[in-house]
Amino acid sequence: TVKSPLEISTMQEACNITNHGFRRILDKTRPGVWEYELEAEYLHEFVRRRSRGFAYTPIIASGANACVLHYVDNNQQCNDGDLLLMDVGAEYGNYNADMTRTIPVNGKFTERQKAVYNAVLRVKNEATKLLRPGTTIDAYHKEVGLIMQSELLQLGLIDQTDIKNENNFMHGTSHHIGLDVHDVGSFYKPMEAGNVFTVEPGIYIKEEGLGIRIEDDIVITEEGHQNLMSDIPIEAEEIEELMNAK
Ligand code: GLY
Ligand code: MN
Ligand code: MN
C-alpha cells in the first residue's frame, strides 16, 4: 500500500497518458457521436503512448446512462444538451489510472448543469484537502458525507428527511489504487506517505437525465498530498474553452 518513488512515477505516467486521451476526446465530442466512438479515441491515444490499454472497462455514459453506476455498454448516441460522464483510465507498466470527467456533449454547460457540476467539484476539492498522513478513510468518508450533504441541500436535491434516512449516496468517495484499480488497503488504518487514493464524488439525478462524477488520483505525501491528475482539465470554463477551440 506504500508505493515506492518508481511506482509513483509509473502511476504518474498512467495519469499523463489518460490526460492525453481526455484532451483528444474534447476535440471529438459533439452531438451525434456514439459513445463507443469516443471509447475508441481513448484507446487509440493510450496505445500510441505505450499503454497496453484500459486499466478497466471504461464507462462512456451520456445523459441518463450516467446514473447507471457500472454502465459499460457504451452503445448510445450522444445528444445535444446532454452531459457525458467518462470514467476511463490508462494502464501503464501494470499500474493504473482511474479518472472521471463529465463534459457537455455540445461544448456548453447549461446553467443547471454547471451548478451541479461546480457542487461536485467543490466536494472533490474539499475532500482532497482532508487527505494527509494520519487520516483514516473511514473518518474521511464521514466528513465528506457531510460536505456532500450541504451541497445537495443547497441544490434542493434532498431535505432533512433524506438526511435522517441517509438515502443519498450511491458510492464511496475514495479507494486505494495501484497494481489493481481497486487496490488492497485498509479503510481503518491511518493514511501514510506513499498511499494512493482516488477522490470521486458524484451527484446523480435520474429525473433530470444527468449524472456528474469527477475523479482524480492522489498520493499521500509527508506534507499532505499530491494530485497525479493536476494537468487534466477540470474547471467547467476550461473544458468549454478546449471544446470550442478551433
Ligand atoms: N473506475 C472504477 C472506479 O472509479 O472505482
Ligand atoms: Mn475509482
Ligand atoms: Mn473510476
mmCIF file with all atom_site columns, all heavy atoms in Angstrom, residues 87 98 100 175 181-182 198 200 215, ligand 2:
data_model
loop_
_atom_site.group_PDB
_atom_site.id
_atom_site.type_symbol
_atom_site.label_atom_id
_atom_site.label_alt_id
_atom_site.label_comp_id
_atom_site.label_asym_id
_atom_site.label_entity_id
_atom_site.label_seq_id
_atom_site.pdbx_PDB_ins_code
_atom_site.Cartn_x
_atom_site.Cartn_y
_atom_site.Cartn_z
_atom_site.occupancy
_atom_site.B_iso_or_equiv
_atom_site.pdbx_formal_charge
_atom_site.auth_seq_id
_atom_site.auth_comp_id
_atom_site.auth_asym_id
_atom_site.auth_atom_id
_atom_site.pdbx_PDB_model_num
ATOM   1  N  N   . ASP A 1 87  ? -15.642 7.580  -17.253 1.00 0.00 ? 87  ASP A N   1
ATOM   2  C  CA  . ASP A 1 87  ? -14.780 7.012  -16.214 1.00 0.00 ? 87  ASP A CA  1
ATOM   3  C  C   . ASP A 1 87  ? -13.804 6.102  -16.943 1.00 0.00 ? 87  ASP A C   1
ATOM   4  O  O   . ASP A 1 87  ? -14.149 4.988  -17.333 1.00 0.00 ? 87  ASP A O   1
ATOM   5  C  CB  . ASP A 1 87  ? -15.641 6.243  -15.203 1.00 0.00 ? 87  ASP A CB  1
ATOM   6  C  CG  . ASP A 1 87  ? -14.861 5.790  -13.977 1.00 0.00 ? 87  ASP A CG  1
ATOM   7  O  OD1 . ASP A 1 87  ? -13.619 5.692  -14.052 1.00 0.00 ? 87  ASP A OD1 1
ATOM   8  O  OD2 . ASP A 1 87  ? -15.504 5.519  -12.945 1.00 0.00 ? 87  ASP A OD2 1
ATOM   9  N  N   . ASP A 1 98  ? -7.195  6.028  -12.768 1.00 0.00 ? 98  ASP A N   1
ATOM   10 C  CA  . ASP A 1 98  ? -8.655  5.933  -12.641 1.00 0.00 ? 98  ASP A CA  1
ATOM   11 C  C   . ASP A 1 98  ? -9.192  7.362  -12.636 1.00 0.00 ? 98  ASP A C   1
ATOM   12 O  O   . ASP A 1 98  ? -9.156  8.032  -11.606 1.00 0.00 ? 98  ASP A O   1
ATOM   13 C  CB  . ASP A 1 98  ? -8.999  5.177  -11.352 1.00 0.00 ? 98  ASP A CB  1
ATOM   14 C  CG  . ASP A 1 98  ? -10.482 4.934  -11.172 1.00 0.00 ? 98  ASP A CG  1
ATOM   15 O  OD1 . ASP A 1 98  ? -11.258 5.262  -12.085 1.00 0.00 ? 98  ASP A OD1 1
ATOM   16 O  OD2 . ASP A 1 98  ? -10.859 4.397  -10.105 1.00 0.00 ? 98  ASP A OD2 1
ATOM   17 N  N   . THR A 1 100 ? -12.320 10.220 -13.769 1.00 0.00 ? 100 THR A N   1
ATOM   18 C  CA  . THR A 1 100 ? -13.651 10.514 -14.293 1.00 0.00 ? 100 THR A CA  1
ATOM   19 C  C   . THR A 1 100 ? -13.743 12.004 -14.606 1.00 0.00 ? 100 THR A C   1
ATOM   20 O  O   . THR A 1 100 ? -13.318 12.846 -13.799 1.00 0.00 ? 100 THR A O   1
ATOM   21 C  CB  . THR A 1 100 ? -14.774 10.130 -13.300 1.00 0.00 ? 100 THR A CB  1
ATOM   22 O  OG1 . THR A 1 100 ? -14.607 8.780  -12.891 1.00 0.00 ? 100 THR A OG1 1
ATOM   23 C  CG2 . THR A 1 100 ? -16.145 10.288 -13.951 1.00 0.00 ? 100 THR A CG2 1
ATOM   24 N  N   . HIS A 1 175 ? -11.008 5.077  -2.922  1.00 0.00 ? 175 HIS A N   1
ATOM   25 C  CA  . HIS A 1 175 ? -10.485 3.714  -2.744  1.00 0.00 ? 175 HIS A CA  1
ATOM   26 C  C   . HIS A 1 175 ? -8.995  3.733  -3.054  1.00 0.00 ? 175 HIS A C   1
ATOM   27 O  O   . HIS A 1 175 ? -8.506  4.622  -3.745  1.00 0.00 ? 175 HIS A O   1
ATOM   28 C  CB  . HIS A 1 175 ? -11.241 2.713  -3.640  1.00 0.00 ? 175 HIS A CB  1
ATOM   29 C  CG  . HIS A 1 175 ? -11.227 3.047  -5.108  1.00 0.00 ? 175 HIS A CG  1
ATOM   30 N  ND1 . HIS A 1 175 ? -10.162 2.766  -5.932  1.00 0.00 ? 175 HIS A ND1 1
ATOM   31 C  CD2 . HIS A 1 175 ? -12.144 3.644  -5.897  1.00 0.00 ? 175 HIS A CD2 1
ATOM   32 C  CE1 . HIS A 1 175 ? -10.440 3.170  -7.165  1.00 0.00 ? 175 HIS A CE1 1
ATOM   33 N  NE2 . HIS A 1 175 ? -11.632 3.718  -7.177  1.00 0.00 ? 175 HIS A NE2 1
ATOM   34 N  N   . VAL A 1 181 ? -7.011  -1.505 -9.888  1.00 0.00 ? 181 VAL A N   1
ATOM   35 C  CA  . VAL A 1 181 ? -7.731  -0.226 -9.834  1.00 0.00 ? 181 VAL A CA  1
ATOM   36 C  C   . VAL A 1 181 ? -8.328  -0.049 -8.438  1.00 0.00 ? 181 VAL A C   1
ATOM   37 O  O   . VAL A 1 181 ? -8.273  1.037  -7.875  1.00 0.00 ? 181 VAL A O   1
ATOM   38 C  CB  . VAL A 1 181 ? -8.839  -0.162 -10.914 1.00 0.00 ? 181 VAL A CB  1
ATOM   39 C  CG1 . VAL A 1 181 ? -9.614  1.138  -10.797 1.00 0.00 ? 181 VAL A CG1 1
ATOM   40 C  CG2 . VAL A 1 181 ? -8.229  -0.304 -12.283 1.00 0.00 ? 181 VAL A CG2 1
ATOM   41 N  N   . HIS A 1 182 ? -8.901  -1.129 -7.913  1.00 0.00 ? 182 HIS A N   1
ATOM   42 C  CA  . HIS A 1 182 ? -9.339  -1.123 -6.512  1.00 0.00 ? 182 HIS A CA  1
ATOM   43 C  C   . HIS A 1 182 ? -8.290  -1.944 -5.766  1.00 0.00 ? 182 HIS A C   1
ATOM   44 O  O   . HIS A 1 182 ? -8.391  -3.161 -5.671  1.00 0.00 ? 182 HIS A O   1
ATOM   45 C  CB  . HIS A 1 182 ? -10.729 -1.733 -6.371  1.00 0.00 ? 182 HIS A CB  1
ATOM   46 C  CG  . HIS A 1 182 ? -11.794 -0.825 -6.918  1.00 0.00 ? 182 HIS A CG  1
ATOM   47 N  ND1 . HIS A 1 182 ? -12.960 -0.557 -6.258  1.00 0.00 ? 182 HIS A ND1 1
ATOM   48 C  CD2 . HIS A 1 182 ? -11.854 -0.093 -8.052  1.00 0.00 ? 182 HIS A CD2 1
ATOM   49 C  CE1 . HIS A 1 182 ? -13.695 0.290  -6.970  1.00 0.00 ? 182 HIS A CE1 1
ATOM   50 N  NE2 . HIS A 1 182 ? -13.043 0.582  -8.060  1.00 0.00 ? 182 HIS A NE2 1
ATOM   51 N  N   . THR A 1 198 ? -8.096  7.340  -4.902  1.00 0.00 ? 198 THR A N   1
ATOM   52 C  CA  . THR A 1 198 ? -8.929  8.152  -5.786  1.00 0.00 ? 198 THR A CA  1
ATOM   53 C  C   . THR A 1 198 ? -9.760  9.088  -4.911  1.00 0.00 ? 198 THR A C   1
ATOM   54 O  O   . THR A 1 198 ? -9.957  8.827  -3.721  1.00 0.00 ? 198 THR A O   1
ATOM   55 C  CB  . THR A 1 198 ? -9.912  7.295  -6.608  1.00 0.00 ? 198 THR A CB  1
ATOM   56 O  OG1 . THR A 1 198 ? -10.851 6.679  -5.704  1.00 0.00 ? 198 THR A OG1 1
ATOM   57 C  CG2 . THR A 1 198 ? -9.181  6.226  -7.407  1.00 0.00 ? 198 THR A CG2 1
ATOM   58 N  N   . GLU A 1 200 ? -13.557 10.702 -5.719  1.00 0.00 ? 200 GLU A N   1
ATOM   59 C  CA  . GLU A 1 200 ? -14.533 10.636 -6.801  1.00 0.00 ? 200 GLU A CA  1
ATOM   60 C  C   . GLU A 1 200 ? -15.978 10.864 -6.372  1.00 0.00 ? 200 GLU A C   1
ATOM   61 O  O   . GLU A 1 200 ? -16.823 9.971  -6.477  1.00 0.00 ? 200 GLU A O   1
ATOM   62 C  CB  . GLU A 1 200 ? -14.422 9.297  -7.526  1.00 0.00 ? 200 GLU A CB  1
ATOM   63 C  CG  . GLU A 1 200 ? -14.401 8.060  -6.646  1.00 0.00 ? 200 GLU A CG  1
ATOM   64 C  CD  . GLU A 1 200 ? -14.302 6.777  -7.468  1.00 0.00 ? 200 GLU A CD  1
ATOM   65 O  OE1 . GLU A 1 200 ? -15.123 6.612  -8.386  1.00 0.00 ? 200 GLU A OE1 1
ATOM   66 O  OE2 . GLU A 1 200 ? -13.406 5.960  -7.208  1.00 0.00 ? 200 GLU A OE2 1
ATOM   67 N  N   . GLU A 1 215 ? -13.274 12.524 -10.831 1.00 0.00 ? 215 GLU A N   1
ATOM   68 C  CA  . GLU A 1 215 ? -12.368 11.610 -10.112 1.00 0.00 ? 215 GLU A CA  1
ATOM   69 C  C   . GLU A 1 215 ? -10.917 11.891 -10.460 1.00 0.00 ? 215 GLU A C   1
ATOM   70 O  O   . GLU A 1 215 ? -10.526 11.906 -11.625 1.00 0.00 ? 215 GLU A O   1
ATOM   71 C  CB  . GLU A 1 215 ? -12.720 10.163 -10.499 1.00 0.00 ? 215 GLU A CB  1
ATOM   72 C  CG  . GLU A 1 215 ? -11.787 9.124  -9.907  1.00 0.00 ? 215 GLU A CG  1
ATOM   73 C  CD  . GLU A 1 215 ? -12.259 7.691  -10.162 1.00 0.00 ? 215 GLU A CD  1
ATOM   74 O  OE1 . GLU A 1 215 ? -12.946 7.459  -11.183 1.00 0.00 ? 215 GLU A OE1 1
ATOM   75 O  OE2 . GLU A 1 215 ? -11.924 6.826  -9.341  1.00 0.00 ? 215 GLU A OE2 1
HETATM 76 MN MN  . MN  B 2 .   ? -12.395 4.944  -8.769  1.00 0.00 ? 2   MN  B MN  1
#
